[in-house]
Amino acid sequence: MLDLLSPAQQDPILSLSIAFRADARADKMDLGIGVYKDSQGDTPIMQAVKTAQQQLADSQTTKSYVGLAGNEAFNQAMTDLLLKGTDGYSRCATVQTPGASGALRMLGDLMYLAKPITTVWITDPSYVNHKPVMEAAGLHVNFYPYFDSVTKQVNPEAMLAALSKAGPDDVVLLHGCCHNPTGADIRTEHWQAINELAQKNGFTPFVDIAYQGFGDGLEEDAYGLRLLADSVEEMLIATSCSKNFGLYRERTGAAIVIGKNKQEATNAKGRILQLARSTYTMPPDHGAAIVETILSDDGLTKQWRAELDGMRNRIISLREGLSAALSARTGDSHFDFIKAHKGMFSMLAYSPEQMVKLREEFGIYAVGDSRINVAGLTESRIDYLADALIAVSK
Ligand SMILES: Cc1ncc(COP(=O)(O)O)c(C=O)c1O
């Protein structure tokens, strides 16, 4: 049987990390994989997480199974963080999943179970795993125009014109904030236009929010999601604690379903649990237990929020520093889009050849589609990166 298999294609982002590790150059720079790094270039464990972890180690008395939906107190805390105060809050149901990746797949499987003819519309370009996950669930995938490579911002006219064609058999996948891979986010008035289209034409919004707190703040980053949750009848949400709690390897996230009423949401949750049972059965507990410990303690919540604010502000200052270093070199505002982008990533709209040049000549590793992880930069390397970006742009 195994002799029938040809070698798998390597994941473009994960293989970049392998190539980076193998590069012997001392001045190499990893702007590839999407993890936050501090000014020492480390991805630290947050202090609030360390404290919660210690409390758990001291107080936990068993490692027995938790249940198919995972930690229900965690589920409630994630629901509160995202939806409290919206109309959808009273008619939703939440399931803990192995990261947002697990949520994406469970919600994909749920859509297929409910309506196999569903088409999922994703941004062009989108998170590298959106298409594979939705297709693996058996769904059809359509791209809608999103990023304008000239302005390096969202092209709202093209996006809304495409979405005006989506109807009741369509699900529109939106990035709640900090768009991956471009860094270009949807503006308030365009969220409102999407909300109106969803109500008029009957498509289901599906919001993937993997970076809440990394853009403008925990509340601000949930603006579009909450607007939709207030008005549409049905909605799907995938959320992650990988970035905002720094729990990447603990695989902590949640799938949330909003239905016309509480009963519909509860039915959908039951179906997700059935799907999970035949996939991984139940999610890993440790990360969710940490998040629950933090969010159920006012002091730890305050500390976590302060640490998250610190990460966000540092990314913003790296963006400002890089934009300033570039405009000092070009004498114009060409690279100002870097400070206008949100979250970890910026898309440079460089060609694959330019990206190879960055890697080969300067040891700067970034994804071939020209996504750079600004959060992978350190203050002392801004000038090096600015020089390299100018050199390859010529
Ligand atoms: C947009 C988006 N969705 C989902 C994920 C998956 O996150 P997780 O680590 O929670 O599975 C990522 C991770 O990079 C992402 O960028």
mmCIF file of all heavy atoms in Angstrom, residues 34 98-102 104 127 130 175 178 180 208 210-211 239-243 248 251-253 345 371, ligand 1:
data_model
loop_
_atom_site.group_PDB
_atom_site.id
_atom_site.type_symbol
_atom_site.label_atom_id
_atom_site.label_comp_id
_atom_site.label_asym_id
_atom_site.label_seq_id
_atom_site.Cartn_x
_atom_site.Cartn_y
_atom_site.Cartn_z
ATOM 1 N N GLY A 34 4.540 32.722 11.054
ATOM 2 C CA GLY A 34 3.780 33.744 11.783
ATOM 3 C C GLY A 34 3.799 33.579 13.283
ATOM 4 O O GLY A 34 2.811 33.175 13.884
ATOM 5 N N PRO A 98 -8.854 22.019 18.454
ATOM 6 C CA PRO A 98 -7.389 22.130 18.400
ATOM 7 C C PRO A 98 -6.994 23.323 17.512
ATOM 8 O O PRO A 98 -6.865 23.188 16.293
ATOM 9 C CB PRO A 98 -6.945 20.798 17.779
ATOM 10 C CG PRO A 98 -8.145 19.910 17.822
ATOM 11 C CD PRO A 98 -9.339 20.819 17.776
ATOM 12 N N GLY A 99 -6.864 24.489 18.095
ATOM 13 C CA GLY A 99 -6.520 25.707 17.374
ATOM 14 C C GLY A 99 -7.659 26.170 16.478
ATOM 15 O O GLY A 99 -8.710 25.515 16.381
ATOM 16 N N ALA A 100 -7.433 27.328 15.824
ATOM 17 C CA ALA A 100 -8.410 27.775 14.825
ATOM 18 C C ALA A 100 -8.406 26.806 13.654
ATOM 19 O O ALA A 100 -9.408 26.654 12.960
ATOM 20 C CB ALA A 100 -8.073 29.183 14.357
ATOM 21 N N SER A 101 -7.277 26.139 13.438
ATOM 22 C CA SER A 101 -7.204 25.154 12.335
ATOM 23 C C SER A 101 -8.261 24.078 12.538
ATOM 24 O O SER A 101 -8.966 23.703 11.589
ATOM 25 C CB SER A 101 -5.833 24.483 12.299
ATOM 26 O OG SER A 101 -4.815 25.439 12.249
ATOM 27 N N GLY A 102 -8.373 23.584 13.777
ATOM 28 C CA GLY A 102 -9.378 22.566 14.082
ATOM 29 C C GLY A 102 -10.785 23.132 13.897
ATOM 30 O O GLY A 102 -11.684 22.443 13.411
ATOM 31 N N LEU A 104 -11.661 25.569 11.836
ATOM 32 C CA LEU A 104 -11.927 25.707 10.396
ATOM 33 C C LEU A 104 -12.392 24.374 9.822
ATOM 34 O O LEU A 104 -13.361 24.297 9.071
ATOM 35 C CB LEU A 104 -10.656 26.175 9.663
ATOM 36 C CG LEU A 104 -10.241 27.640 9.877
ATOM 37 C CD1 LEU A 104 -8.827 27.884 9.348
ATOM 38 C CD2 LEU A 104 -11.229 28.590 9.187
ATOM 39 N N TYR A 127 -5.201 33.173 3.759
ATOM 40 C CA TYR A 127 -4.388 32.292 4.614
ATOM 41 C C TYR A 127 -4.160 30.991 3.853
ATOM 42 O O TYR A 127 -5.095 30.414 3.306
ATOM 43 C CB TYR A 127 -5.153 32.077 5.929
ATOM 44 C CG TYR A 127 -4.624 30.990 6.824
ATOM 45 C CD1 TYR A 127 -3.268 30.901 7.139
ATOM 46 C CD2 TYR A 127 -5.491 30.052 7.382
ATOM 47 C CE1 TYR A 127 -2.805 29.905 7.972
ATOM 48 C CE2 TYR A 127 -5.039 29.067 8.226
ATOM 49 C CZ TYR A 127 -3.682 28.992 8.511
ATOM 50 O OH TYR A 127 -3.218 28.002 9.335
ATOM 51 N N HIS A 130 -6.666 28.044 4.108
ATOM 52 C CA HIS A 130 -8.127 28.127 3.941
ATOM 53 C C HIS A 130 -8.628 27.212 2.824
ATOM 54 O O HIS A 130 -9.566 26.444 3.017
ATOM 55 C CB HIS A 130 -8.556 29.575 3.653
ATOM 56 C CG HIS A 130 -8.711 30.396 4.898
ATOM 57 N ND1 HIS A 130 -8.665 31.773 4.903
ATOM 58 C CD2 HIS A 130 -8.913 30.035 6.199
ATOM 59 C CE1 HIS A 130 -8.828 32.226 6.135
ATOM 60 N NE2 HIS A 130 -8.970 31.189 6.944
ATOM 61 N N HIS A 175 -11.599 37.596 7.207
ATOM 62 C CA HIS A 175 -10.616 37.637 8.296
ATOM 63 C C HIS A 175 -11.083 38.728 9.253
ATOM 64 O O HIS A 175 -11.185 39.897 8.859
ATOM 65 C CB HIS A 175 -9.225 37.970 7.765
ATOM 66 C CG HIS A 175 -8.695 36.957 6.797
ATOM 67 N ND1 HIS A 175 -7.419 36.449 6.882
ATOM 68 C CD2 HIS A 175 -9.265 36.351 5.724
ATOM 69 C CE1 HIS A 175 -7.232 35.574 5.904
ATOM 70 N NE2 HIS A 175 -8.335 35.505 5.179
ATOM 71 N N CYS A 178 -6.414 41.841 11.065
ATOM 72 C CA CYS A 178 -5.015 41.443 10.810
ATOM 73 C C CYS A 178 -4.929 40.391 9.704
ATOM 74 O O CYS A 178 -4.470 39.257 9.919
ATOM 75 C CB CYS A 178 -4.378 40.917 12.086
ATOM 76 S SG CYS A 178 -4.550 42.006 13.499
ATOM 77 N N ASN A 180 -4.279 37.804 7.030
ATOM 78 C CA ASN A 180 -3.125 36.956 6.678
ATOM 79 C C ASN A 180 -3.329 36.477 5.249
ATOM 80 O O ASN A 180 -4.324 35.811 4.995
ATOM 81 C CB ASN A 180 -3.076 35.753 7.639
ATOM 82 C CG ASN A 180 -1.907 34.837 7.372
ATOM 83 O OD1 ASN A 180 -1.069 35.087 6.507
ATOM 84 N ND2 ASN A 180 -1.845 33.740 8.109
ATOM 85 N N ASP A 208 -12.975 34.218 10.445
ATOM 86 C CA ASP A 208 -11.791 33.596 11.042
ATOM 87 C C ASP A 208 -11.037 34.717 11.755
ATOM 88 O O ASP A 208 -10.547 35.651 11.105
ATOM 89 C CB ASP A 208 -10.938 32.981 9.919
ATOM 90 C CG ASP A 208 -9.661 32.342 10.448
ATOM 91 O OD1 ASP A 208 -9.377 32.445 11.655
ATOM 92 O OD2 ASP A 208 -8.926 31.745 9.631
ATOM 93 N N ALA A 210 -7.999 35.085 14.067
ATOM 94 C CA ALA A 210 -6.855 34.399 14.680
ATOM 95 C C ALA A 210 -5.906 35.372 15.388
ATOM 96 O O ALA A 210 -4.936 34.936 16.001
ATOM 97 C CB ALA A 210 -6.099 33.609 13.607
ATOM 98 N N TYR A 211 -6.199 36.697 15.294
ATOM 99 C CA TYR A 211 -5.240 37.686 15.819
ATOM 100 C C TYR A 211 -5.933 38.763 16.648
ATOM 101 O O TYR A 211 -5.492 39.917 16.659
ATOM 102 C CB TYR A 211 -4.480 38.342 14.650
ATOM 103 C CG TYR A 211 -3.719 37.352 13.806
ATOM 104 C CD1 TYR A 211 -4.332 36.720 12.730
ATOM 105 C CD2 TYR A 211 -2.408 37.017 14.105
ATOM 106 C CE1 TYR A 211 -3.653 35.775 11.965
ATOM 107 C CE2 TYR A 211 -1.716 36.086 13.354
ATOM 108 C CZ TYR A 211 -2.348 35.468 12.286
ATOM 109 O OH TYR A 211 -1.675 34.540 11.535
ATOM 110 N N THR A 239 -11.870 30.836 16.033
ATOM 111 C CA THR A 239 -10.986 31.725 16.790
ATOM 112 C C THR A 239 -9.806 30.945 17.371
ATOM 113 O O THR A 239 -9.861 29.724 17.485
ATOM 114 C CB THR A 239 -11.771 32.492 17.882
ATOM 115 O OG1 THR A 239 -10.892 33.450 18.487
ATOM 116 C CG2 THR A 239 -12.300 31.573 18.965
ATOM 117 N N SER A 240 -8.761 31.691 17.691
ATOM 118 C CA SER A 240 -7.492 31.060 18.075
ATOM 119 C C SER A 240 -6.893 31.727 19.299
ATOM 120 O O SER A 240 -7.001 32.947 19.460
ATOM 121 C CB SER A 240 -6.508 31.226 16.906
ATOM 122 O OG SER A 240 -5.224 30.770 17.280
ATOM 123 N N CYS A 241 -6.222 30.954 20.142
ATOM 124 C CA CYS A 241 -5.444 31.527 21.252
ATOM 125 C C CYS A 241 -3.951 31.365 20.977
ATOM 126 O O CYS A 241 -3.126 31.592 21.868
ATOM 127 C CB CYS A 241 -5.803 30.839 22.565
ATOM 128 S SG CYS A 241 -7.554 30.936 22.950
ATOM 129 N N SER A 242 -3.609 30.959 19.744
ATOM 130 C CA SER A 242 -2.195 30.752 19.419
ATOM 131 C C SER A 242 -1.401 32.038 19.564
ATOM 132 O O SER A 242 -0.319 32.048 20.144
ATOM 133 C CB SER A 242 -2.049 30.247 17.976
ATOM 134 O OG SER A 242 -2.592 28.960 17.859
ATOM 135 N N LYS A 243 -1.934 33.136 19.018
ATOM 136 C CA LYS A 243 -1.156 34.377 18.965
ATOM 137 C C LYS A 243 -1.416 35.244 20.190
ATOM 138 O O LYS A 243 -0.479 35.694 20.831
ATOM 139 C CB LYS A 243 -1.487 35.180 17.697
ATOM 140 C CG LYS A 243 -1.821 34.357 16.479
ATOM 141 C CD LYS A 243 -0.622 33.776 15.778
ATOM 142 C CE LYS A 243 -1.081 32.720 14.792
ATOM 143 N NZ LYS A 243 -0.120 32.331 13.808
ATOM 144 N N TYR A 248 0.727 28.822 20.879
ATOM 145 C CA TYR A 248 0.832 28.152 19.574
ATOM 146 C C TYR A 248 0.785 26.620 19.657
ATOM 147 O O TYR A 248 -0.067 25.973 19.075
ATOM 148 C CB TYR A 248 2.128 28.561 18.883
ATOM 149 C CG TYR A 248 2.342 30.045 18.807
ATOM 150 C CD1 TYR A 248 2.985 30.746 19.842
ATOM 151 C CD2 TYR A 248 1.915 30.777 17.708
ATOM 152 C CE1 TYR A 248 3.188 32.119 19.764
ATOM 153 C CE2 TYR A 248 2.113 32.147 17.618
ATOM 154 C CZ TYR A 248 2.754 32.811 18.655
ATOM 155 O OH TYR A 248 2.949 34.163 18.579
ATOM 156 N N ARG A 251 -2.293 24.214 20.869
ATOM 157 C CA ARG A 251 -3.429 23.978 19.969
ATOM 158 C C ARG A 251 -4.761 24.316 20.632
ATOM 159 O O ARG A 251 -5.559 23.448 20.960
ATOM 160 C CB ARG A 251 -3.420 22.526 19.445
ATOM 161 C CG ARG A 251 -2.076 22.027 18.963
ATOM 162 C CD ARG A 251 -1.442 22.937 17.882
ATOM 163 N NE ARG A 251 -2.301 23.128 16.748
ATOM 164 C CZ ARG A 251 -2.651 24.347 16.301
ATOM 165 N NH1 ARG A 251 -2.201 25.456 16.885
ATOM 166 N NH2 ARG A 251 -3.432 24.459 15.264
ATOM 167 N N THR A 252 -4.956 25.614 20.833
ATOM 168 C CA THR A 252 -6.114 26.100 21.579
ATOM 169 C C THR A 252 -6.952 27.055 20.727
ATOM 170 O O THR A 252 -6.442 28.089 20.285
ATOM 171 C CB THR A 252 -5.631 26.840 22.851
ATOM 172 O OG1 THR A 252 -4.677 25.999 23.508
ATOM 173 C CG2 THR A 252 -6.777 27.148 23.789
ATOM 174 N N GLY A 253 -8.192 26.697 20.508
ATOM 175 C CA GLY A 253 -9.079 27.555 19.720
ATOM 176 C C GLY A 253 -10.517 27.125 19.927
ATOM 177 O O GLY A 253 -10.805 26.259 20.762
ATOM 178 N N PHE A 345 1.500 40.738 9.731
ATOM 179 C CA PHE A 345 1.990 40.608 8.355
ATOM 180 C C PHE A 345 1.834 41.866 7.523
ATOM 181 O O PHE A 345 0.942 42.668 7.734
ATOM 182 C CB PHE A 345 1.245 39.467 7.645
ATOM 183 C CG PHE A 345 1.323 38.175 8.409
ATOM 184 C CD1 PHE A 345 0.180 37.580 8.907
ATOM 185 C CD2 PHE A 345 2.547 37.570 8.652
ATOM 186 C CE1 PHE A 345 0.243 36.393 9.625
ATOM 187 C CE2 PHE A 345 2.623 36.391 9.366
ATOM 188 C CZ PHE A 345 1.465 35.801 9.860
ATOM 189 N N ARG A 371 4.901 37.977 1.602
ATOM 190 C CA ARG A 371 4.420 38.276 2.953
ATOM 191 C C ARG A 371 5.618 38.344 3.893
ATOM 192 O O ARG A 371 6.416 37.421 3.948
ATOM 193 C CB ARG A 371 3.482 37.166 3.427
ATOM 194 C CG ARG A 371 2.945 37.407 4.838
ATOM 195 C CD ARG A 371 2.238 36.200 5.405
ATOM 196 N NE ARG A 371 3.151 35.315 6.127
ATOM 197 C CZ ARG A 371 2.774 34.284 6.871
ATOM 198 N NH1 ARG A 371 1.492 33.991 6.966
ATOM 199 N NH2 ARG A 371 3.646 33.525 7.504
HETATM 200 C C1 LIG B 1 -5.989 33.442 9.420
HETATM 201 C C2 LIG B 1 -5.574 32.264 10.220
HETATM 202 N N1 LIG B 1 -6.478 31.348 10.571
HETATM 203 C C3 LIG B 1 -6.154 30.268 11.296
HETATM 204 C C4 LIG B 1 -4.860 30.043 11.704
HETATM 205 C C5 LIG B 1 -4.540 28.802 12.493
HETATM 206 O O1 LIG B 1 -4.246 29.095 13.800
HETATM 207 P P1 LIG B 1 -4.094 27.983 14.932
HETATM 208 O O2 LIG B 1 -2.666 27.976 15.351
HETATM 209 O O3 LIG B 1 -4.999 28.448 16.026
HETATM 210 O O4 LIG B 1 -4.537 26.686 14.371
HETATM 211 C C6 LIG B 1 -3.869 30.965 11.368
HETATM 212 C C7 LIG B 1 -2.483 30.728 11.766
HETATM 213 O O5 LIG B 1 -1.542 31.230 11.260
HETATM 214 C C8 LIG B 1 -4.242 32.101 10.609
HETATM 215 O O6 LIG B 1 -3.340 33.005 10.244
#
